[in-house]
Amino acid sequence: MKIIKLILILVIVGLSGCKSPEARRPVTQSSGSFINESIERNRELVAREEAQILEIIERDTLNDYVASNSGFWYYYNTKTTDSTNTETPEFGDVVRFDYDIKELDGDVIYAQGELPTKRYAMDKEDLFNGLREGLKLMKEGEEVTFIFPSHKAFGYYGDKNKIGTNVPIITHVKLHSIINESNNNPNN
C-alpha cells in the first residue's frame, strides 16, 4: 500500500512538473502616452515660437524677410551685387565667418567679437543645424541676420553655457571667405 501511494505521489509530481512555462506579464503596461504627450508639447512649443518670430517680422518694416525651406527666417544686411560672385558653400568647403547671438527680445547672449572668427568645414564639423543651413545660402562678403526657432538653434540642451533650454535666437552672420574643398585638398 505504501508503494502505491509513493508511486501515485511521484506520478502527480511528475505530471505537474511537465507543465509548459507560462509567459510572465509585465507589472505595468505602457500605452505610448508619454511619447504622444511629448509630441504634442513639442508642437505647441514650435507654434508658440513661430508666432513670436512672425510677430517680430511683422513689426520690422525696414527689412525684407525670407522664409527658408529649412524652417527659419532671414534677411540680408549686406547682399553681394557682384554678378561673378555666385558661389555658395558646399559640402567640404571651408568657410570663415563671424557671428553674434541674441534672444528674440534683443538681449545679447554673445556679442560680436565675443565669439572668435570661426573656420568651419561645411557638414564635416559640429555646428548647430540652423547656422549650418544658413551658411549654405550665403555668398562671400555677405552679412545675413537669421531668426532660428529653438529646434533649429541649440534645442533642448542649449549650448551648456549661456543659452538655455528651448531658446529661439537671432544671429547676425558675416561670411568672410569660402575655400573650395578641391582647392583645400593637398592630394589634388
Side-chain angles (χ1 to χ4, degrees):
M1 187 67 160
K2 286 185 178 183
I3 293 179
I4 294 176
K5 285 183 182 180
L6 185 60
I7 292 174
L8 186 60
I9 292 174
L10 288 175
V11 169
I12 291 173
V13 170
L15 289 177
S16 66
C18 294
K19 186 175 152 184
S20 63
E22 288 186 26
R24 293 184 292 165
R25 301 283 177 223
V27 176
T28 60
Q29 293 182 346
S30 176
S31 64
S33 64
F34 173 78
I35 292 173
N36 293 336
E37 290 169 7
S38 178
I39 290 169
E40 189 56 36
R41 277 192 310 272
N42 286 332
R43 284 184 180 152
E44 290 170 4
L45 175 68
V46 168
R48 195 170 46 249
E49 288 178 2
E50 286 183 1
Q52 288 175 316
I53 291 168
L54 293 174
E55 185 179 315
I56 290 169
I57 291 171
E58 190 175 303
R59 284 191 315 239
D60 184 0
T61 57
L62 298 177
N63 298 299
D64 294 322
Y65 287 83
V66 178
S68 77
N69 294 333
S70 299
F72 57 86
W73 294 261
Y74 64 98
Y75 66 86
Y76 288 91
N77 300 83
T78 305
K79 186 171 178 136
T80 184
T81 56
D82 182 4
S83 60
T84 61
N85 183 9
T86 59
E87 183 180 344
T88 57
E90 296 179 7
F91 179 82
D93 291 348
V94 175
V95 295
R96 197 171 58 82
F97 64 95
D98 285 311
Y99 67 111
D100 63 21
I101 299 176
K102 300 176 191 169
E103 293 182 17
L104 291 185
D105 62 7
D107 289 345
V108 175
I109 300 172
Y110 293 105
Q112 191 77 29
E114 187 176 348
L115 296 168
T117 298
K118 180 116 172 122
R119 286 181 51 89
Y120 170 68
M122 293 300 296
D123 298 326
K124 290 185 171 184
E125 297 177 45
D126 203 19
L127 188 65
F128 71 88
N129 187 316
L131 187 52
R132 184 173 54 243
E133 295 300 319
L135 286 168
K136 293 176 184 177
L137 302 171
M138 297 179 70
K139 297 175 187 143
E140 198 171 279
E142 290 185 332
E143 291 185 46
V144 177
T145 298
F146 297 98
I147 303 179
F148 298 116
S150 64
H151 67 277
K152 287 293 180 181
F154 293 91
Y156 179 76
Y157 294 104
D159 74 341
K160 297 186 171 104
N161 190 12
K162 291 184 175 183
I163 300 173
T165 299
N166 296 325
V167 176
I169 60 172
I170 298 173
T171 305
H172 177 257
V173 180
K174 180 173 183 174
L175 182 59
H176 298 293
S177 64
I178 302 171
I179 302 170
N180 291 59
E181 181 182 35
S182 57
N183 296 340
N184 197 30
N185 190 345
N187 296 327
N188 285 349

